[in-house]
Amino acid sequence: MEFVRVVVLTPLGPAAEPAFDYHLPESLEGRVEVGSLVQVPFGPRPLYGIVVDRPPAPAVEETRPVTALVDPRPVLLPVQIELARWMASQTLSPLHECLLMMLPPGVVGLTDTRLELAGDLPPDLRLSPLERHLVDLLRRRGPLTGAQIDRAFPRSDWRAAADRLVRRKILVRTPVLAPPRARPLQVTTVRLLPDVPEEDALKGLRAPVYRAVLDFLRAEGGPVDVGWVYAQTGCTRQHLNRLYERGLVTFDLEERWRDPLEGRVFLPTEPLPLTPDQQAAWDEIRTGSSLCYLLHGVTGSGKTELYLRAVGEVLARGRKAIVLVPEISLTPQTVARFAARFPGRVTVLHSQMREGERYDVWRRARAGLVDVVIGPRSALFVPLDPLGLIIVDEEHDPSYKQASRPAFHAREAALELARRAGATVILGSATPSLESYLRAQRGEFRLLVLGRRILGHHQRISDLQAVYGVPRTRYRPLTDGLEARYLDLPPVQVVDMRAELRAGNRSIFSRALQRSVDEALARGEQVILFLNRRGTATHIFCRACGYVARCPRCDVPLTFHAGAAAGARHTPSARGPRPEGLGAAGGARHAPSARGLGAEGSPLLCHHCGHREPLPERCPRCDSPAIRPFGLGTAGLEEAVRERWPGARVLRWDRDTARTAQAHWNILQVFSDGGADVLVGTQMIAKGLDLPLVTVVGVISADTALNLPDFRAAERTFQLLEQVAGRAGRGLMGGRVILQTYHPDHYAITAVEHHDYLGFVQRELEFRREAGYPPYVRLARLVYRHTDPRRAEVAAREMGDRLRDALRRSGLPSTDLIGPVPCFFARLRGYYRWQVLLRHPDPPAFLRAVPIPRGWLVDVDPVDVL
Ligand code: ADP
Ligand code: ZN
Ligand code: ZN
């Protein structure tokens, strides 16, 4: 007899390892493999499950048979099951959730119930109106599934009624499985049947459209999509049916792949001859002597060209590649470059794809028809076999971390997958994460550096010069005979906003920025104004000297919570200090209300340790009264730009103005076509298209991320500003960056001023080592949320005690537990959030031994602690 170990894809309660042994009925012998999707009986219920092992003998004495094989081919590769196991153990998530995440939605059907009448009904039955409707429906239509009843009684609570009827033994309920939703797309085609005497067959069909259809099909020569026939001849399905009845044509069903790149034309391009920098890096990568290469190169230094090289090499060896990008809708040019270099072999995955499209990408990959997939972190789970390469572009980007369970980091998962599949990883970034940089320093990753910006090759630049009528360029060849042209990074001017105020300038635009924008607009050039959206979070800040109120214990900025002292209904403006920002334009926004942060207390709160203090009347450093909450959003900025430059055409690009991939593309297209003069936006601006007419990039407030109460605040600030700076001066006219700040001396700011990544990293690593933060220690963050503030607080305190106990028992200092405290975003979507932070050399191992109740999200190695 054959046995299989099956993980059922349904939650069975905490702590349960949901793997069970079954045997195969004769009909399935030899057809089930590791990775197969099956249906199994579980108690009285049927469940979906994945075969994860084929043990020679079962772990229990009596096994039940597998009910059915749902998909004739395995839905997961063995290496994916290994990855899921690893992920479950590292993120402390149930294995079935990790397995499910690797499948496209719709492959596994839902569990459902079937209801039917128990038998003849007694005549004197007393029923509520809804119960009566339900009984009548089942009498009329026979047994129905939950989904079918949902359709019959939309928006009614028929389930409660059904429960009562089941209890009274009037209805019988049986658990069933709904079939998988995702199906191959099929299209109907029509074709001409040969050798039919047309004149006879058409007798009586006088409309000219019949002949037109026949002529069209004859000209096409083979089966044609019916939709195409309707469009070309103006006929309808009725006409085709008539022709079918007369034996003139026949219909077929054809399977179609839904291809997200369908209909887009990519002109094939040849690989470029490499620059000496690229060549040196390439010589290293080609040896394949390291599992992981960290490619450090500024924007435009030729990283993508190297990715293309590496993919080409892998394909030539008959293997496949995954290319991860943080957000595909913002990187249309990257997709286009891959698709053009490897025509017909590339596909993409993105968050806005429909279920059917995702299903088809997955199915094509499983059938071996996809060689390269580009996408966000979920692209990691497309089954490519054999896998040769995983590229993680912009490896520092926090969006690689999944926020919900399983809270995995795509970079770490990529490394694990590559290790198991025998593939190589290339991490690329202009500003590598401190984690990766330290690992490179320690020799775990191989560090490769591309030091210079290439601004395209000779030919492209000449073309652009002609288009824009620019006679001279600042590009220069490095070596004669090479095509590539280099360009320096743009100069960065740091403007001290405290000095602006002293000079009497109360505008949010410094004089330097105003002058630069004036000049650019006068010359018909374009301007980008950047404002980090999270800047709406409010901190306390002195406009005279730049002082920011910080926690005396944690040295992170304190956060202003409007309602804490004066009661929840008071807004800050009603109570004295008005948030600064745009004044009359009304761009200021307030921090989340402080209800639920505990009954009373002072309004300034440390989100690391819970320390509170009152709002100062005057600045403790310079004694100015100009100390107050500060916050400004992009919508307010747009308003201010219109006020200051009434003649300029302004375009805003953020999550509020662009929700879909198409909307992103449209905004970029309008701007790059010269449809606007000023683009106002959030960090999205840092990515995306080349914008050759942009000569000024203004950062309205370089400090917003810096003031977040997070140990990564400086790192994020540096990464973001470098990336924004990278948008400037990529055009023929060059460009400049103006960086407005109240902290002109902060090392993150001066590092951007001098494009000094190494200097920044040294300073920041020192800080992390001294303060006991990653990458020198590991953290786990446990977040609890509840709609009731008191329940949230109580649960958090209990968890804090439990963890402190566990630390003590394992001989570790209880100071390695930080909190419990309310999260920085203390109230999100109606939930009150509390957190506990744990410092430990191996958080998953430690936490596995601690019972973690429902409602807690465990985030090992968090990318932020907000
Ligand atoms: P990154 O990915 O680091 O931003 P890219 O690979 O996009 O850099 O390169 C920047 C620009 O330089 C692109 O327009 C690219 O076509 C061009 N480029 C890259 N490598 C070369 C090369 N070896 N020769 C000529 N042009 C190059
Ligand atoms: Zn001050
Ligand atoms: Zn503190």
Side-chain angles (χ1 to χ4, degrees):
M1 195 136 48
E2 281 185 63
F3 299 98
V4 289
R5 186 154 298 156
V6 175
V7 172
V8 295
L9 299 175
T10 301
L12 296 176
E17 161 66 16
F20 305 96
D21 289 352
Y22 294 86
H23 66 264
L24 295 182
E26 216 170 299
S27 61
L28 289 181
E29 271 176 18
R31 295 174 52 202
V32 176
E33 299 169 55
V34 168
S36 288
L37 179 63
V38 291
Q39 234 187 65
V40 291
F42 190 80
R45 296 193 285 169
L47 294 179
Y48 284 103
I50 299 278
V51 174
V52 296
D53 202 357
R54 297 177 5 124
V60 289
E61 233 156 72
E62 293 238 347
T63 53
R64 298 169 75 183
V66 169
T67 317
L69 179 62
V70 181
D71 190 313
R73 304 193 44 205
V75 297
L76 288 173
L77 301 168
V79 67
Q80 292 184 297
I81 294 175
E82 291 173 31
L83 182 65
R85 281 210 173 97
W86 172 85
M87 209 175 261
S89 85
Q90 290 305 304
T91 63
L92 298 157
S93 315
L95 179 55
H96 77 270
E97 282 182 11
C98 298
L99 290 169
L100 261 178
M101 187 182 54
M102 298 189 183
L103 295 171
V107 167
V108 177
L110 302 172
T111 40
D112 199 350
T113 51
R114 190 179 55 218
L115 285 172
E116 58 195 306
L117 293 175
D120 286 340
L121 301 177
D124 57 341
L125 197 58
R126 296 185 47 160
L127 295 173
S128 75
L130 185 57
E131 290 167 356
R132 167 73 57 200
H133 280 320
L134 193 56
V135 166
D136 284 347
L137 180 76
L138 292 170
R139 192 163 17 205
R140 254 194 347 266
R141 294 183 43 193
L144 293 176
T145 62
Q148 289 169 315
I149 301 175
D150 273 338
R151 275 195 293 275
F153 294 151
R155 288 180 301 279
S156 88
D157 191 19
W158 63 266
R159 279 171 207 277
D163 283 347
R164 290 192 296 273
L165 294 171
V166 168
R167 253 177 280 131
R168 288 166 68 189
K169 303 216 172 11
I170 293 165
L171 298 186
V172 178
R173 177 165 40 204
T174 342
V176 292
L177 292 181
R181 278 190 312 276
R183 299 229 178 77
L185 181 68
Q186 298 198 313
V187 294
T188 308
T189 58
V190 54
R191 68 189 151 88
L192 214 53
L193 286 172
D195 309 326
V196 185
E198 219 167 86
E199 293 310 321
D200 289 353
L202 275 179
K203 232 175 228 131
L205 300 182
R206 248 162 297 147
V209 70
Y210 293 107
R211 249 178 228 292
V213 170
L214 296 177
D215 289 344
F216 177 69
L217 289 178
R218 199 170 300 114
E220 289 285 314
V224 184
D225 192 329
V226 287
W228 188 232
V229 180
Y230 304 155
Q232 291 295 305
T233 64
C235 77
T236 66
R237 182 65 189 233
Q238 250 84 53
H239 295 121
L240 293 184
N241 287 347
R242 224 28 77 62
L243 294 172
Y244 174 78
E245 286 157 16
R246 305 286 176 105
L248 283 159
V249 303
T250 189
F251 297 108
D252 303 291
L253 274 181
E254 250 180 46
E255 209 176 288
R256 265 303 147 77
W257 303 111
R258 284 157 286 208
D259 183 353
L261 291 180
E262 187 179 289
R264 292 175 60 183
V265 182
F266 300 100
L267 299 175
T269 56
E270 291 296 305
L272 301 169
L274 297 180
T275 64
D277 273 3
Q278 287 172 323
Q279 188 64 48
W282 176 233
D283 288 342
E284 288 276 349
I285 295 172
R286 198 163 36 175
T287 63
S289 57
S290 182
L291 167 71
C292 178
Y293 297 89
L294 175 59
L295 187 56
H296 175 205
V298 295
T299 315
S301 61
K303 296 186 295 296
T304 308
E305 192 57 36
L306 270 183
Y307 302 155
L308 290 163
R309 260 309 151 114
V311 169
E313 175 98 355
V314 160
L315 295 188
R317 283 190 279 117
R319 308 189 74 160
K320 301 171 186 211
I322 296 171
V323 181
L324 298 186
V325 292
E327 210 165 344
I328 204 158
S329 52
L330 303 183
T331 45
Q333 282 182 336
T334 305
V335 173
R337 277 167 81 181
F338 276 89
R341 188 69 61 88
F342 310 108
R345 308 180 75 173
V346 177
T347 193
V348 300
L349 206 62
H350 58 77
S351 54
Q352 284 161 1
M353 263 160 73
R354 284 183 301 263
E355 199 171 270
E357 288 178 312
R358 282 172 175 273
Y359 177 59
D360 280 1
V361 165
W362 176 80
R363 228 158 36 99
R364 270 161 73 208
R366 186 174 68 160
L369 300 173
V370 172
D371 292 316
V372 183
V373 59
I374 310 179
R377 51 175 195 266
S378 56
L380 210 50
F381 306 129
V382 175
L384 298 184
D385 188 32
L387 184 63
L389 177 67
I390 305 175
I391 288 164
V392 185
D393 191 27
E394 311 281 4
E395 67 90 29
H396 64 274
D397 197 293
S399 72
Y400 282 125
K401 178 78 186 240
Q402 176 153 305
S404 55
R405 207 168 67 180
F408 72 100
H409 198 298
R411 176 180 61 223
E412 302 309 313
L415 284 165
E416 191 62 25
L417 178 60
R419 196 173 290 131
R420 291 171 187 274
T424 303
V425 176
I426 301 177
L427 308 176
S429 175
T431 51
S433 63
L434 292 179
E435 275 77 3
S436 296
Y437 195 78
L438 189 66
R439 279 154 93 170
Q441 265 190 349
R442 290 173 171 168
E444 189 185 336
F445 299 164
R446 189 92 184 73
L447 180 65
L448 305 168
V449 180
L450 299 180
R452 254 186 284 228
R453 289 213 293 184
I454 315 167
L455 257 284
H457 29 282
H458 175 68
Q459 187 56 49
R460 181 169 160 263
I461 291 169
S462 316
D463 293 350
L464 281 174
Q465 272 177 285
V467 171
Y468 293 108
V470 180
R472 264 178 323 115
T473 81
R474 303 175 312 123
Y475 305 109
R476 45 196 167 69
L478 182 76
T479 320
D480 280 342
L482 257 182
E483 286 287 286
R485 294 291 184 272
Y486 291 95
L487 184 73
D488 294 329
L489 284 164
V492 175
Q493 182 182 354
V494 172
V495 178
D496 182 348
M497 293 304 276
R498 297 169 303 182
E500 292 294 309
L501 190 69
R502 283 197 294 273
N505 177 17
R506 305 192 133 262
S507 157
I508 57 167
F509 305 112
S510 62
R511 289 162 298 170
L513 182 58
Q514 296 191 28
R515 211 161 33 240
S516 297
V517 173
D518 285 343
E519 286 167 10
L521 294 181
R523 285 195 302 259
E525 296 162 3
Q526 289 180 318
V527 174
I528 289 180
L529 295 179
F530 167 79
L531 180 65
N532 189 355
R533 208 229 290 246
R534 277 191 156 172
T536 51
T538 308
H539 56 276
I540 300 300
F541 153 83
C542 171
R543 283 199 66 173
C545 76
Y547 169 84
V548 170
R550 287 174 174 272
C551 174
R553 274 182 277 173
C554 310
D555 199 35
V556 295
L558 294 171
T559 308
F560 178 67
H561 284 274
R569 256 171 297 143
H570 279 262
T571 60
S573 49
R575 219 198 109 243
R578 259 190 98 222
E580 288 279 326
L582 281 180
R589 292 227 222 125
H590 315 314
S593 142
R595 286 177 59 193
L597 296 184
E600 298 99 18
S602 306
L604 297 194
L605 172 69
C606 170
H607 284 274
H608 273 205
C609 72
H611 168 83
R612 282 178 188 279
E613 52 183 75
L615 189 65
E617 300 268 293
R618 309 186 80 87
C619 172
R621 187 157 76 195
C622 74
D623 205 39
S624 158
I627 182 160
R628 49 191 58 174
F630 184 86
L632 167 71
T634 33
L637 175 57
E638 180 188 1
E639 196 70 14
V641 173
R642 290 188 197 283
E643 243 168 61
R644 172 62 183 77
W645 291 281
R649 295 162 304 162
V650 188
L651 200 60
R652 173 153 63 94
W653 188 19
D654 58 26
R655 290 258 174 255
D656 297 328
T657 61
R659 286 181 203 281
T660 63
Q662 192 56 42
H664 288 305
W665 181 253
N666 290 347
I667 288 179
L668 270 175
Q669 209 59 48
V670 166
F671 190 62
S672 72
D673 288 349
D677 306 306
V678 181
L679 182 65
V680 165
T682 56
Q683 56 248 50
M684 291 179 194
I685 270 181
K687 301 174 179 140
L689 286 176
D690 276 346
L691 300 167
L693 288 179
V694 173
T695 57
V696 176
V697 171
V699 177
I700 299 303
S701 168
D703 311 333
T704 44
L706 206 56
N707 291 322
L708 285 176
D710 191 293
F711 68 90
R712 275 185 227 272
E715 182 183 5
R716 288 276 172 269
T717 298
F718 176 77
Q719 286 166 344
L720 209 58
L721 294 179
E722 260 309 312
Q723 206 167 19
V724 173
R727 308 297 301 137
R730 292 190 72 174
L732 298 170
M733 285 82 91
R736 60 200 309 207
V737 181
I738 293 175
L739 221 157
Q740 303 189 152
T741 175
Y742 288 90
H743 303 282
D745 303 323
H746 191 287
Y747 61 94
I749 304 290
T750 54
V752 177
E753 186 175 6
H754 303 111
H755 299 296
D756 182 14
Y757 174 79
L758 289 185
F760 171 76
V761 166
Q762 264 162 20
R763 270 297 289 275
E764 183 67 8
L765 281 178
E766 232 166 78
F767 156 68
R768 302 280 183 91
R769 195 208 307 267
E770 277 165 19
Y773 282 126
Y776 291 101
V777 301
R778 288 184 72 186
L779 291 181
R781 179 193 195 207
L782 288 85
V783 179
Y784 187 81
R785 38 170 237 175
H786 202 282
T787 47
D788 177 356
R790 228 159 300 272
R791 296 268 293 276
E793 177 167 357
V794 168
R797 299 215 182 281
E798 278 170 14
M799 178 59 91
D801 293 343
R802 184 175 308 163
L803 289 173
R804 224 166 253 125
D805 271 355
L807 279 173
R808 214 170 295 128
R809 263 180 281 122
S810 59
L812 290 163
S814 58
T815 48
D816 281 347
L817 194 75
I818 310 171
V821 281
C823 299
F824 172 72
F825 297 110
R827 203 178 161 195
L828 273 184
R829 295 177 207 95
Y831 287 97
Y832 293 89
R833 302 163 79 236
W834 279 71
Q835 71 175 30
V836 186
L837 267 184
L838 173 79
R839 243 187 221 120
H840 195 277
D842 188 354
F846 176 77
L847 289 172
R848 242 172 264 137
V850 181
I852 295 172
R854 249 172 200 288
W856 282 92
L857 176 73
V858 180
D859 185 358
V860 176
D861 303 324
V863 290
D864 69 58
V865 293
L866 301 172

